[in-house]
């Protein structure tokens, strides 16, 4: 995940390949079914859908906080754009500076785009994959047969459960791990976001709204998008930084001219 030396040039492609491999491999295995059976005992799921306070803690609250965070980023971005360059110093030392992230306009723009694009992309994929949730299947008390990804697309079932959209809201915060300003906290951020996304994903799995694969693919795809956008936004930043620490060595011709 390190953007130094343009690692993101290829990392996003490797992540995309991993996403495709995970999708194909787990769709044609029994792993998803075996894991979901752990949450379905005696004809009932471990958690009832919509049961409180779990729905508030693991569904409503995270979505609301993410929306508020996006609004906050847009507000900070507007403030930074409206602030003249010669007023930067006064802004940094004003009382309101404590409420403003110490990030550049480029970093805030990147983070905001990641938070918007990741859930939007995954929600769009859900509308075209037509994959059923576990609780829709006859295996788990539903009325639909188990179909793999390709069969679901061809059949165009009314289901929209793959990849996991709710977990993607948490995974969209992977963008924080690619910010150059917070580079030294990168792996801690990665661990925290992974834990958040899987907590949100596991909540949905407990009442059969998603298979394990749905959350895994959502995580890998979110990371792919965040990494690819980081490459687009911060490649020039890395090039300038590397040129400062690794100046070009003088050639023989340059030496002779001196």
């Amino acid at each position: 995940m390190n953007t130094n030396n343009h690692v993101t040039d290829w990392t996003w492609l490797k992540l995309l390949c991993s996403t495709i491999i995970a999708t194909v491999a787990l769709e044609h295995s029994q792993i998803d079914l075996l894991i979901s059976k752990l949450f379905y005992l005696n004809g009932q799921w471990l958690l009832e859908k919509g049961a409180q306070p779990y729905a508030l803690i693991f569904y409503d609250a995270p979505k609301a906080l993410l929306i508020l965070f996006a609004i906050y980023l847009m507000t900070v971005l507007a403030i930074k754009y409206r602030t003249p360059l010669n007023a930067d110093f006064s802004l940094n030392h004003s009382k309101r500076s404590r409420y403003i992230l110490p990030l550049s306009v480029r970093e805030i723009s990147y983070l905001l785009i990641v938070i918007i694009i990741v859930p939007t992309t995954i929600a769009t994929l859900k509308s075209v994959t037509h994959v059923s949730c576990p609780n829709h299947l006859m295996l788990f008390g539903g009325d639909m047969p188990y179909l793999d990804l390709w069969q679901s697309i061809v059949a165009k079932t009314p289901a929209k459960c793959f990849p996991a959209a709710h977990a993607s809201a948490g995974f969209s915060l992977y963008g924080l791990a690619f910010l150059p300003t917070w580079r030294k906290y990168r792996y801690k951020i990665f661990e925290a976001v992974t834990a958040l996304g899987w907590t949100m994903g596991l909540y949905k799995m407990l009442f059969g709204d998603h298979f394990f694969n749905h959350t895994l693919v959502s995580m890998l795809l979110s990371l792919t998008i965040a990494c690819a956008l980081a490459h687009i936004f911060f490649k020039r930043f890395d090039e300038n930084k590397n040129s400062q620490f690794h100046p070009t060595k003088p050639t023989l011709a340059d030496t002779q001219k001196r």
Side-chain angles (χ1 to χ4, degrees):
M1 285 184 5
N2 198 337
T3 56
N4 289 333
N5 300 322
H6 316 312
V7 174
T8 52
D9 287 10
W10 298 106
T11 301
W12 71 268
L13 184 58
K14 294 176 182 177
L15 287 168
L16 180 60
C17 292
S18 298
T19 304
I20 296 172
I21 291 171
T23 301
V24 174
L26 290 177
E27 275 290 330
H28 293 277
S29 71
Q30 296 295 310
I31 295 176
D32 272 347
L33 294 176
L34 291 173
I35 293 176
S36 288
K37 286 178 181 178
L38 298 176
F39 308 133
Y40 187 75
L41 303 174
N42 301 320
Q44 289 186 334
W45 293 97
L46 291 181
L47 191 66
E48 182 182 351
K49 186 172 182 177
Q52 297 292 354
Y54 308 106
L56 174 63
I57 297 172
F58 299 109
Y59 188 81
D60 297 324
K63 286 182 65 175
L65 289 174
L66 186 68
I67 292 172
L68 289 174
F69 184 52
I71 294 173
Y72 165 74
L73 289 177
M74 287 188 284
T75 303
V76 172
L77 197 60
I79 291 173
K80 286 182 174 287
Y81 266 120
R82 290 170 63 89
T83 302
L85 293 177
N86 58 6
D88 282 347
F89 180 82
S90 60
L91 176 62
N92 292 335
H93 290 76
S94 65
K95 291 183 179 179
R96 68 178 180 177
S97 65
R98 71 183 67 179
Y99 304 110
I100 297 178
L101 283 173
L103 302 174
S104 66
V105 169
R106 180 182 298 231
E107 289 174 312
I108 294 174
S109 301
Y110 159 77
L111 190 56
L112 183 60
I113 289 174
V114 171
I115 289 175
I116 294 173
I117 287 184
V118 166
T120 302
T121 301
I122 290 177
T124 302
L125 288 174
K126 284 181 63 174
S127 67
V128 299
T129 54
H130 299 286
V131 174
S132 300
C133 302
N135 53 27
H136 293 161
L137 304 178
M138 290 184 286
L139 292 169
F140 300 104
D143 55 6
M144 297 185 67
Y146 176 75
L147 302 175
D148 61 29
L149 176 60
W150 178 248
Q151 291 172 329
S152 298
I153 294 174
V154 173
K156 292 185 178 180
T157 66
K160 297 179 181 180
C161 294
F162 174 82
H166 180 58
S168 73
F171 290 133
S172 67
L173 294 177
Y174 274 136
L176 293 167
F178 290 94
L179 297 176
T181 298
W182 291 346
R183 179 169 291 164
K184 62 181 179 180
Y185 305 115
R186 176 156 300 162
Y187 293 103
K188 291 182 180 180
I189 293 172
F190 176 80
E191 292 169 359
V193 173
T194 300
L196 173 63
W198 274 102
T199 298
M200 295 169 69
L202 181 61
Y203 163 72
K204 299 280 278 186
M205 291 168 62
L206 287 175
F207 52 83
D209 254 19
H210 285 299
F211 280 119
F212 168 80
N213 185 34
H214 298 180
T215 303
L216 177 63
V217 171
S218 180
M219 181 191 77
L220 292 173
L221 186 56
S222 300
L223 194 54
T224 300
I225 295 171
C227 185
L229 288 173
H231 170 66
I232 295 171
F233 270 77
F234 305 129
K235 181 177 179 181
R236 184 176 299 177
F237 173 89
D238 289 331
E239 287 176 347
N240 294 337
K241 189 171 183 179
N242 288 336
S243 64
Q244 292 176 4
F245 289 97
H246 302 285
T248 306
K249 294 182 179 180
T251 63
L252 179 60
D254 293 333
T255 306
Q256 290 175 346
K257 288 180 180 179
R258 294 178 185 176

